[in-house]
Amino acid sequence: MYRKLPPMAALRAFEAAAQLVSFKAAAAQLHRTPSAISHQIRSLEDELGTVLFHRDAHGLRLTDAGREYYRDVHGVLEALGEATARARQGHGEDTVTISLFPSLAVRWLIPRLQAFRERWPDIEIELVSSVRRADFDGGVIDAAIRFGDGDWPGLRCDPLMIEERFPVCSPALTTGTRPLETPDDLAHAILLHNGAHPGEWDDWLAAAGIGHIAADRGPVFDASNEVLAAAANGMGVALGRTPLVESDLATGRLVEPFGQRLRSPGQYWLVAPEATADQPSLAALRAWLQEQPVSFASQSGLL
Amino acid sequence: MYRKLPPMAALRAFEAAAQLVSFKAAAAQLHRTPSAISHQIRSLEDELGTVLFHRDAHGLRLTDAGREYYRDVHGVLEALGEATARARQGHGEDTVTISLFPSLAVRWLIPRLQAFRERWPDIEIELVSSVRRADFDGGVIDAAIRFGDGDWPGLRCDPLMIEERFPVCSPALTTGTRPLETPDDLAHAILLHNGAHPGEWDDWLAAAGIGHIAADRGPVFDASNEVLAAAANGMGVALGRTPLVESDLATGRLVEPFGQRLRSPGQYWLVAPEATADQPSLAALRAWLQEQPVSFASQSGLL
DNA sequence: TGAGCGGATGAATTTAATTCATCCGGGCTG
DNA sequence: CAGCCCGGATGAATTAAATTCATCCGCTCA
């Protein structure tokens, strides 16, 4: 039967463009370039022999035929999406269980997961946040985010991001009578310590060439989350790590008073057993993670 | 909002394969190789994580999930086809859109359409195959082929052909250790049932004077295409209907073991709204259909 | 038991989709 | 008013997907 139907890519491009009345925005939504949308819609129009959009000086507008076709196409894609979701196995390949540190989960992954869910609504991400290293043997954990040198036998390791360490504190500490302005001012500040990273202050102070400040003063916290919360509350100065403090820096809860960063040896990796590393939903997550912008990259001096 | 949708090629391959219960036949219908269908359906199954077809020794069968997904996909593609036809320019006098049952389309009209195209190369025939009764209100459907008594108000009805019902099976069942030779042998055979025609076996057995065979044994299928595919695969004996089994009888995929046919009350009609029933291209199609030889007419006893 | 059928599979090829680089036109701004 | 953004268009190049080809496999039937 010769029932000529447009390709899926063209229908989706048209649906998005009609919804947003913008090829550029449609491209962003579908993770394509505007050029791709333009090509698809052009070829759809050619194939139909019908103009779907007016492109005039005042931008884009649906034609009457385009509006009508949009209603139909939208309904059809909606129905197809539901049917396909129904046909899809529930808890199989569409659920990815990831193990990672609680701090990384809370301060880095979870804020981004919202966007991932919008991008891949059919992929369910389960987080197992733990300070213990993930055990892949049970078959429960699909992947983990680990910090290290990427040398874990039997696991596929894909690089995610580097780590930079530098003092962070509440913005309140950089103003007032005795503001933090140079690393030397740390002599008068309370240093907040992370029990999981003993000696981290020594490392940074040494790299910054500050030998005369005692690094062993101040309270010790059990986890990064606690150290950073204390710092945000103005209790003192913490040694922040880039992926973890990214959102706090972005929202202004924390500031970086000096600009001298110390690159950590090693970096973050997405690791998964070789055998299951290529399952589609994990591959989607990996690709998505890797295309995330590294907004926290050092703007200033790297030590 | 992003949702993962299968490619059009995969959907069409699946639709055709599900309708015909055969990759090879689907390939022929779509002008592709069986390999292409196999690849597409395989990748669709992989993507869904759902098995859509049982492939066992006795040939192809839809799984429950496959049957459900087929219903959805078929509806969606049909709606898309109508919407696209509506959006398309030049649905003029040289295009005729016909609605008919999928089984009649696949097993009767499509095989003949080739010849029609040669006779009338300028007339484009669009098929909308659906189990729903055609709705002429939208202006999309020009005509339909319906089975019934020809009494549809407001529609011009031209008779096409009668229907005769009789057992059919794979030629394999008429040979071997226990061949089907007389209707009494049906006692030992598996009767294949069509959910759309409950009681059809009772009717035929009663007319044939076989009171002592229980008609309610055997699997029930959703559609004529499935029943006939199962029969052709040697699964059992189906109750065939003349226009539908014509090509299978001609190619030898099915045989008629007994020769006793039951004439159905009612017949097939070409129906079209009175207002547009005489448009030239539809008139050409009507004339051509009516001059088609009725190659399946009963050669033997009519009950 | 070996020929034939329908489907599966992997590599090669063909075809479609997407990007890249560039262009165009109009409105906005300095 | 010139220059410059901005969004879209366009054609060639690139990348990705669909399809074919060649072959294999398991089963059935002479």
Side-chain angles (χ1 to χ4, degrees), chain A residues 160-297:
Chain A
L160 286 182
M161 57 226 165
I162 60 159
E163 180 183 273
E164 296 174 343
R165 290 172 287 174
F166 49 90
V168 293
C169 61
S170 160
L173 298 196
T174 61
T175 60
T177 55
R178 197 178 256 182
L180 279 177
E181 284 169 347
T182 73
D184 288 322
D185 296 327
L186 288 175
H188 319 296
I190 294 171
L191 302 189
L192 306 174
H193 295 268
N194 186 336
H197 300 288
E200 59 177 359
W201 270 114
D202 291 308
D203 293 345
W204 187 85
L205 289 168
I210 323 277
H212 53 89
I213 293 181
D216 53 356
R217 300 166 289 120
V220 179
F221 296 86
D222 275 339
S224 296
N225 275 328
E226 295 177 49
V227 185
L228 295 174
N233 287 331
M235 192 179 293
V237 184
L239 199 65
R241 297 158 182 276
T242 33
L244 298 186
V245 298
E246 178 211 2
S247 57
D248 289 314
L249 291 176
T251 59
R253 283 165 50 83
L254 288 175
V255 295
E256 177 185 6
F258 310 132
Q260 285 140 301
R261 294 186 172 191
L262 178 61
R263 169 85 147 80
S264 299
Q267 68 172 101
Y268 284 97
W269 304 82
L270 179 68
V271 303
E274 295 274 6
T276 56
D278 286 316
Q279 71 176 103
S281 45
L282 177 52
L285 177 67
R286 174 162 45 231
W288 184 83
L289 285 176
Q290 288 181 326
E291 79 190 19
Q292 290 300 105
V294 182
S295 62
F296 51 78

